[in-house]
């Protein structure tokens, strides 16, 4: 599971589970097609659609009176929509 960093469980992602959509934080260099192929092979499900979003970097160190962002520590989040009869078991109770 080196392509997917972790599953995301926020209020929004839990709400999306009802629509058969699963949220993952992934490697920022990963493309949608690579993630789709990986999910279909790893979980043996069929992906209907994918959305991706780059999240801003985290706050960096304070140097003097300036606070910057660390540019290389960016995150990417993908929302994966599956067919109606497919389920990813990691998100079950």
């Amino acid at each position: 599971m080196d392509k997917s960093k972790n599953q995301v469980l926020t209020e929004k992602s839990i709400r999306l589970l009802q629509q058969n959509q699963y949220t993952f934080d992934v490697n920022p260099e990963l493309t949608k097609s690579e993630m789709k192929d990986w999910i279909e092979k790893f979980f043996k499900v069929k992906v209907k659609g994918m959305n991706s979003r780059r999240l801003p970097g985290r706050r960096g160190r304070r140097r003097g009176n300036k606070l910057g962002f660390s540019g290389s520590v960016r995150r990417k989040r993908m929302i994966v929509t599956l067919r109606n009869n497919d389920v990813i078991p990691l998100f079950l109770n």
Side-chain angles (χ1 to χ4, degrees):
M1 277 185 78
D2 57 337
K3 298 195 186 259
S4 170
K5 291 183 179 178
N6 59 347
Q7 65 187 16
V8 178
L9 292 175
T10 60
E11 288 181 32
K12 181 179 179 180
S13 67
I14 292 171
R15 191 172 57 244
L16 289 174
L17 285 174
Q18 297 171 352
Q19 301 170 9
N20 211 19
Q21 295 180 334
Y22 299 86
T23 308
F24 295 95
D25 280 341
V26 298
N27 188 353
E29 290 85 29
L30 197 63
T31 63
K32 286 183 184 181
S33 58
E34 291 172 343
M35 185 66 179
K36 178 182 177 183
D37 293 340
W38 182 79
I39 286 178
E40 287 179 345
K41 289 178 186 173
F42 190 80
F43 295 111
K44 295 177 179 54
V45 295
K46 186 68 176 166
V47 175
K48 185 177 173 182
M50 297 196 65
N51 293 334
S52 65
R53 176 175 181 228
R54 287 193 181 269
L55 301 170
R58 299 183 185 213
R59 287 190 172 195
R61 293 186 179 193
R62 186 174 200 121
R63 298 183 192 246
N65 61 355
K66 295 187 178 188
L67 178 64
F69 288 94
S70 53
S72 63
V73 186
R74 292 185 58 121
R75 299 177 296 155
K76 189 172 188 179
R77 187 166 286 171
M78 287 200 179
I79 300 174
V80 180
T81 306
L82 302 181
R83 287 189 312 192
N84 290 336
N85 17 346
D86 290 338
V87 180
I88 294 179
L90 293 176
F91 289 90
L92 292 177
N93 292 335

